[in-house]
């Protein structure tokens, strides 16, 4: 079942990356929806691991995604689903096993019928839409996307892990909001990276980051990181503002969202300090 969890984690990321690669609006929507479903599979398998007292972590294999044609990654998705099919017998929950089996069967059928297209998500052109950014702004934009896409993936996994191991409804609502918000940011940044030809899979997260022993200190550090992220957004907004007001407005939008994230983390911190959750 541990291996099933790992392979589902990897499948989720491959399908998500494929959604960024496609330029076809319907294909992008379908793959994005499927990636959300597969992530739910991952969380349900995780719950089963916890229920049966099976030790696990979020380690996984490197995921090669650099392709010239979408069909290559779609075939890879099908191969990965076929491998997972063979592992589903390890799930003791019959209802969950049946649900995942039927989902993957449908996803495989739909993916096999998606039209091929040329992929430009790895051409390193570093041009976003039709904006004429200076080299300084382009370099700042590039660095931001690489750093923040990893950070958002990291936060998804950290808050998902904390939620999976908590029975506190108040905290779990906060953790779920933070997971959802990080998903929006990851998808936004991933799409921008694909547009600029610099798409990449976030690196593997070390278990020390999510297997948190001191949650109070983790939340304090997290608040500091969110404050730093706000500064990065402001700096990037200023850097690109001379060349693209639309981009500057987007990063201001992200910056203000960080304010609410900080407020939520402060609420969680107060709850831990007062109740020792």
């Amino acid at each position: 079942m541990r291996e099933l969890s790992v392979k589902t984690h990897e499948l989720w990321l491959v399908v998500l990356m494929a959604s960024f690669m496609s330029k076809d609006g319907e294909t992008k929507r379908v793959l994005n929806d499927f990636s959300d479903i597969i992530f739910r599979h991952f969380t349900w398998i995780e719950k089963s691991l916890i229920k049966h007292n099976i030790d696990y972590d979020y380690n996984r294999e490197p995921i090669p995604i650099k392709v010239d044609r979408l069909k290559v990654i779609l075939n890879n998705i099908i191969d990965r689903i076929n491998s997972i099919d063979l592992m589903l017998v390890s799930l003791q929950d019959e209802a969950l096993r049946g649900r995942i089996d039927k989902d993957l069967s449908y996803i495989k059928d739909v993916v096999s019928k998606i039209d091929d297209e040329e992929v430009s998500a790895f051409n390193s052109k570093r041009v976003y839409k039709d904006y004429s950014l200076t080299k300084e702004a382009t370099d700042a934009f590039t660095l931001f996307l690489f750093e923040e896409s990893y950070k958002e993936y990291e936060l998804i996994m950290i808050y998902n892990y904390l939620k999976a191991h908590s029975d506190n409804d108040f905290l779990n609502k906060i953790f779920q909001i933070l997971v959802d918000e990080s998903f929006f940011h990851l998808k936004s940044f991933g799409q921008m990276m694909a547009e600029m030809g610099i798409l990449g899979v976030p690196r593997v997260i070390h278990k020390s980051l999510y297997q948190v022993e001191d949650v109070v200190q983790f939340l304090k550090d997290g608040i500091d990181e969110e404050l730093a992220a706000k500064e990065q957004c402001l700096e990037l907004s200023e850097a690109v503002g001379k060349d693209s007001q639309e981009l500057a407005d987007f990063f201001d939008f992200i910056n203000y969202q960080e304010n609410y994230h900080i407020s939520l983390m402060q609420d969680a911190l107060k709850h831990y300090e007062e109740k020792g959750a």
Side-chain angles (χ1 to χ4, degrees):
M1 199 153 58
R2 276 192 296 263
E3 185 69 6
L4 175 62
S5 174
V6 171
K7 295 308 174 185
T8 303
H9 184 174
E10 293 170 357
L11 177 63
W12 159 56
L13 283 172
V14 173
V15 176
L16 182 62
M17 294 297 122
S19 75
F20 299 148
M21 295 177 204
S22 177
K23 297 186 185 71
D24 180 83
E26 180 62 12
T27 296
K28 187 179 294 295
R29 182 194 66 78
V30 167
L31 291 173
N32 181 67
D33 286 346
F34 286 165
S35 75
D36 288 343
I37 290 171
I38 295 165
F39 185 79
R40 290 202 293 275
H41 292 174
F42 173 71
T43 64
W44 296 336
I45 294 168
E46 180 178 29
K47 277 294 188 182
S48 189
L49 285 165
I50 294 169
K51 178 181 177 181
H52 292 94
N53 297 312
I54 300 173
D55 290 333
Y56 73 98
D57 57 39
Y58 289 158
N59 197 23
R60 57 174 170 81
E61 294 297 320
I63 302 174
I65 60 166
K66 192 172 182 180
V67 298
D68 296 321
R69 307 291 308 183
L70 188 65
K71 204 67 177 177
V72 178
I73 203 75
L74 296 178
N75 288 337
N76 182 262
I77 289 169
I78 291 171
D79 289 343
R80 288 176 181 274
I81 290 175
N82 288 334
S83 295
I84 287 174
D85 281 341
L86 300 174
M87 300 177 189
L88 286 177
V89 67
S90 66
L91 276 177
Q92 299 179 39
D93 185 329
E94 185 177 349
L96 176 58
R97 185 170 65 248
R99 164 64 192 268
I100 294 176
D101 178 57
K102 293 301 182 185
D103 280 356
L104 293 181
S105 177
Y106 177 75
I107 290 170
K108 184 167 65 172
D109 182 61
V110 172
V111 166
S112 70
K113 297 172 183 175
I114 291 176
D115 290 336
D116 191 19
E117 59 181 281
E118 184 178 357
V119 171
S120 60
F122 310 99
N123 62 16
S124 302
K125 65 179 180 178
R126 295 208 308 155
V127 175
Y128 185 66
K129 294 185 177 179
D130 57 352
Y131 303 148
S132 298
L133 301 179
T134 63
K135 184 179 183 305
E136 177 187 11
T138 298
D139 289 346
F141 191 16
T142 301
L143 180 61
F144 177 88
L145 289 176
F146 275 112
E147 290 182 345
E148 291 302 301
S149 63
Y150 170 71
K151 188 200 88 169
E152 298 300 343
Y153 167 69
E154 177 185 288
L155 291 176
I156 288 169
M157 304 313 295
I158 290 172
Y159 288 118
N160 181 73
Y161 190 90
L162 291 175
K163 181 173 178 285
H165 290 268
S166 171
D167 294 322
N168 187 300
D169 289 341
F170 177 82
L171 292 172
N172 283 347
K173 287 177 183 177
I174 291 176
F175 294 151
Q176 187 59 56
I177 292 171
L178 291 170
V179 167
D180 292 342
E181 291 283 276
S182 289
F183 257 114
F184 171 71
H185 289 182
L186 176 61
K187 290 178 179 181
S188 297
F189 301 150
Q191 194 56 54
M192 288 177 163
M193 292 175 79
E195 177 73 23
M196 294 183 72
I198 56 171
L199 182 62
V201 180
R203 63 187 180 273
V204 176
I205 302 170
H206 193 274
K207 62 183 180 181
S208 63
L209 292 175
Y210 52 84
Q211 293 181 352
V212 179
E213 294 184 4
D214 187 344
V215 178
V216 169
Q217 188 59 50
F218 163 77
L219 289 169
K220 289 178 179 178
D221 292 342
I223 290 168
D224 289 340
E225 288 179 9
E226 292 289 350
L227 289 169
K230 281 173 54 65
E231 289 300 317
Q232 282 187 301
C233 282
L234 286 171
E235 290 172 6
L236 189 55
S237 177
E238 292 174 0
V240 302
K242 300 184 288 293
D243 306 312
S244 170
Q245 187 57 47
E246 182 180 341
L247 267 182
D249 289 345
F250 173 77
F251 288 110
D252 285 341
F253 164 67
I254 295 294
N255 175 46
Y256 283 114
Q257 289 187 346
E258 303 291 359
N259 291 338
Y260 186 55
H261 300 170
I262 291 170
S263 175
L264 288 172
M265 294 168 75
Q266 288 171 334
D267 287 344
L269 176 61
K270 182 179 179 182
H271 189 86
Y272 264 101
E273 290 179 328
E274 289 181 350
K275 308 215 179 221

